[in-house]
Amino acid sequence: MRKIMLVTGGSQGIGRAVARLAAARGYAVALTWQSNQALADAVVAEIAAAGGTAIAVQAEMADEASILSLYRTVDATLGPVTALVNNAGTPGPMRTIDQVTSEILDTVLAVNVRAPFLMIREAVARMATDRGGAGGAIVNVSSRAAELGGAGEWVHYAASKGALDSLTVGAAKELASRGIRVNAVSPGLIETDLHARAGLPDRVTRLAGGVPMGRPGTAEEVADGVLWLLSPEAAYITGAILPISGGR
């Protein structure tokens, strides 16, 4: 059976690392991008140059119609997905609770909670053995913020990732008998541009001393965990939330 992976937010950071590693391990990869096509095209070109197969699809994770269109494109171009990585997310701006507007909260919840739910729903229609599928595996990219709380920075983001953890556990239990495993990785302090996009470009350097292993992690280290959870080596694992945080 052809291995086909769909990675949301696959043009940069953790998503890019996942897409590259997945292609190297034999997956045909569909990655999504929202606003920077050049970054997505660069990932596709890199994968193709290494002999792999990849496509990039523009998608707006906060919009259900865009998600449905995404799946139709992947179905027609590569085939039904066998692996889904819900990586796309937004931290929103750094704010204390009393500074968070309803607009900020709505955007964070739409992208970080509603979108993964809808992505899983559509994956089930293609993977579930009782729907004619061959089974599959899903990994959600959560955050250690779900347990740490994000106080003074982004409680809104932490709360959305807590919801994603609950979705992971519930979906895992519901879908296990239908041939689908659902797990999550929970990255800690990772060297990506997420911190700069949230308004604190020096955050990784400033907080690295609080990591027991003494350094931030890399996107590639998170990708290793994602691909392991998707692999046959993790065949009896579902509903797990794997910390990748250097002990933080």
Side-chain angles (χ1 to χ4, degrees):
M1 183 180 66
R2 190 182 192 197
K3 301 192 299 182
I4 299 171
M5 179 184 293
L6 175 51
V7 185
T8 64
S11 64
Q12 56 189 322
I14 291 170
R16 177 177 64 184
V18 169
R20 293 168 60 190
L21 184 59
R25 295 188 180 178
Y27 283 92
V29 178
L31 59 97
T32 74
W33 58 277
Q34 180 188 37
S35 59
N36 194 326
Q37 184 175 359
L39 287 177
D41 288 345
V43 178
V44 170
E46 183 180 358
I47 289 172
T53 299
I55 62 171
V57 184
Q58 198 280 331
E60 174 52 66
M61 290 292 104
D63 180 61
E64 182 177 12
S66 185
I67 288 173
L68 297 179
S69 176
L70 163 65
Y71 269 98
R72 288 193 296 268
T73 299
V74 176
D75 289 343
T77 307
L78 299 178
V81 299
T82 62
L84 167 65
V85 179
N86 279 314
N87 167 73
T90 179
M94 292 284 188
R95 296 286 190 275
T96 57
I97 289 173
D98 54 304
Q99 297 172 328
V100 174
T101 65
S102 60
E103 290 79 11
I104 290 173
L105 190 58
D106 287 348
T107 298
V108 169
L109 294 177
V111 175
N112 295 356
V113 183
R114 187 177 70 185
F117 195 107
L118 295 177
M119 291 293 298
I120 291 172
R121 184 191 72 187
E122 295 306 308
V124 169
R126 293 155 174 82
M127 293 179 180
T129 53
D130 62 338
R131 299 282 294 272
I138 297 168
V139 174
N140 297 320
V141 178
S142 183
S143 170
R144 288 293 294 142
E147 290 191 33
L148 298 175
E153 294 183 334
W154 47 24
V155 171
H156 45 296
Y157 173 69
S160 73
K161 292 301 187 177
L164 185 61
D165 287 355
S166 294
L167 172 58
T168 300
V169 173
K173 292 178 178 179
E174 182 172 308
L175 299 174
S177 64
R178 304 174 71 184
I180 302 172
R181 297 186 301 107
V182 185
N183 293 291
V185 292
S186 183
L189 198 64
I190 307 297
E191 292 178 327
T192 72
D193 69 347
L194 177 145
H195 310 279
R197 286 188 284 122
L200 289 176
D202 65 338
R203 186 171 183 269
V204 169
T205 303
R206 179 165 49 83
L207 297 181
V211 178
M213 289 184 68
R215 65 170 179 86
T218 67
E220 288 73 21
E221 288 172 318
V222 179
D224 285 335
V226 171
L227 267 293
W228 178 73
L229 286 171
L230 293 171
S231 74
E233 285 78 9
Y236 197 56
I237 298 174
T238 196
I241 300 170
L242 176 65
I244 304 178
S245 61
R248 185 168 183 261

